[in-house]
Amino acid sequence: MTAKALTLLSDLTPPSLERTWLTAPHPSLPIVATCSSDKTVRVYSLTNFRLLSTISGGHKRSVRTCAWKPHVQGESVLATGSFDATVGIWRRWDSYGQAEGGTDVWRLGTEALNGNGQNTREDEEDEEWRFAVLLDGHDSEVKSVSWSPSGMLLATCSRDKSIWIWEDLDDGDNNFETVAVMQEHQGDVKYVAWHPVEEYLASASYDDTIRLWREDIDDWGQVACIKGHTGTVWYLDWEGVDNVPSTPAMCEQGAFLATEWKDQRAICGPRLVSCSDDRTVRIWRRQPREQQTQPRCGGTGVPSIIRPAGTEEVWEEEIVLPQMHELSIYAVAWSKRTGLLASVGADGRIVVYEELFLTAPVQTMDTDPPADTSATPPPRTEWVAISLVEGAHGIYEVNHVAWAKRADRGREESNEEVLVTTADDGSIKVWTLG
């Protein structure tokens, strides 16, 4: 694969005057939410890259994290986590959905901007965001919030070493119920991420581990613990369920390799990518259950009388990506559309990687395929860095990166994506790869 240029498309304006931590693209609308040390969340348009509204008044300290609830009709729901140890749930009616005549109101919102890009209806806009409920339970800073694929469960994690799972009762009164509190981590829990289609949670921690959690007989518990990183695990992301690596040019085996790949993924499920203080990006694959013989992290090999042995899973390190960062890597993003990976960190770099099939001999007609598909290794791949940007935000650390569908005005509907990066100087930048 030849190198590609990552080009700055636009800054989101106006920026925060303080550190920005994370940018969350909306699951369906062309907008993003960015959380900041100034105790606010800013909502920007990806159509014209300008501020639509500012959410404030709910938290007493820095807003560290936010996440949009999926599958919501008629309104937008945003969860926020703060250094004040609380989680906020915000709602806003979607006059955002459709205006009269079917016009996209997020686009109409740009008409409220004056020539200087400032919102002339700021008070009116902000009043439309309702601080619906405050979830109180953590003892220290909330580091990450994540909605389950169904949108019914919210996972939160904290510096207090715990993970909480809350159920949205969806009863019209904004009631949430605590369904689990997990405390197996031995350090700050930095990030939580739900499996793309299952109620299956991954967490990353200051204790250098990744842990996987499932519900079993109405009780949530750890089913795997991954050791491999030699420093804080800052961030995780799941592979898209339909992802297939790229086929090198002039390769006639593309269809065969893709079929083999999909067969293997049906057995193992999506992979996980993680990044760490140890300056590495690693990819992990779950071992098929019939091959799982190892005890989980911290295990003795003695069967547990508390949790059935059948709940334990084994995850193996598949690969360490090419080492492209000189300092801690704070975030990774795995595109669900293209399969590309992006990483950012303390060295101010943005790196984009692509996974390619390695060509292998095609099976001949007199070579019988193995009867047990689970015993067949997946087609071999390699990861290559295809783009590197130095000093993406000047001298500042880059805290987060996310893929979002490209939606800038004047472009026809397409599957193109942009990268959104968030940095210590308060800036949020939108990049294109080409």
Side-chain angles (χ1 to χ4, degrees), residues 141-321:
E141 301 168 357
V142 176
K143 296 297 182 72
S144 175
V145 297
S146 179
W147 294 96
S148 67
S150 68
M152 297 310 297
L153 298 176
L154 178 69
T156 64
C157 66
S158 167
R159 187 177 179 180
D160 65 13
K161 308 178 186 178
S162 73
I163 299 167
W164 289 53
I165 296 180
W166 317 74
E167 181 181 1
D168 185 349
L169 299 181
D170 201 20
D171 56 3
D173 292 324
N174 296 308
N175 288 320
F176 282 72
E177 178 182 354
T178 305
V179 297
V181 178
M182 287 96 77
Q183 297 177 299
E184 279 84 342
H185 276 295
Q186 302 302 305
D188 301 17
V189 189
K190 299 295 187 184
Y191 196 74
V192 284
W194 290 95
H195 185 283
V197 293
E198 300 176 24
E199 289 186 350
Y200 180 39
L201 186 70
S203 59
S205 172
Y206 184 81
D207 66 12
D208 305 350
T209 70
I210 300 163
R211 300 178 191 245
L212 286 301
W213 314 84
R214 280 189 188 276
E215 185 178 25
D216 179 57
I217 316 177
D218 297 325
D219 184 27
W220 281 83
Q222 178 181 302
V223 295
C225 176
I226 301 172
K227 284 186 172 180
H229 282 294
T230 57
T232 300
V233 186
W234 285 101
Y235 205 91
L236 300 164
D237 200 7
W238 289 89
E239 176 182 24
V241 292
D242 298 320
N243 179 49
V244 176
S246 302
T247 304
M250 309 302 292
C251 175
E252 299 178 358
Q253 300 168 252
F256 170 78
L257 293 170
T259 300
E260 289 287 301
W261 181 268
K262 291 175 182 177
D263 289 344
Q264 281 295 317
R265 213 236 319 274
I267 298 168
C268 299
R271 296 169 291 171
L272 264 176
V273 63
S274 59
C275 64
S276 168
D277 220 31
D278 65 13
R279 309 176 190 180
T280 66
V281 176
R282 299 169 189 253
I283 292 178
W284 312 88
R285 181 186 292 273
R286 181 169 51 189
Q287 194 178 88
R289 186 167 295 277
E290 56 270 23
Q291 297 178 22
Q292 294 184 11
T293 58
Q294 306 170 28
R296 59 179 172 155
C297 168
T300 62
V302 178
S304 170
I305 61 172
I306 300 174
R307 297 191 58 77
T311 64
E312 295 184 358
E313 301 176 350
V314 175
W315 283 75
E316 297 177 331
E317 182 181 286
E318 182 174 276
I319 193 169
V320 180
L321 268 60

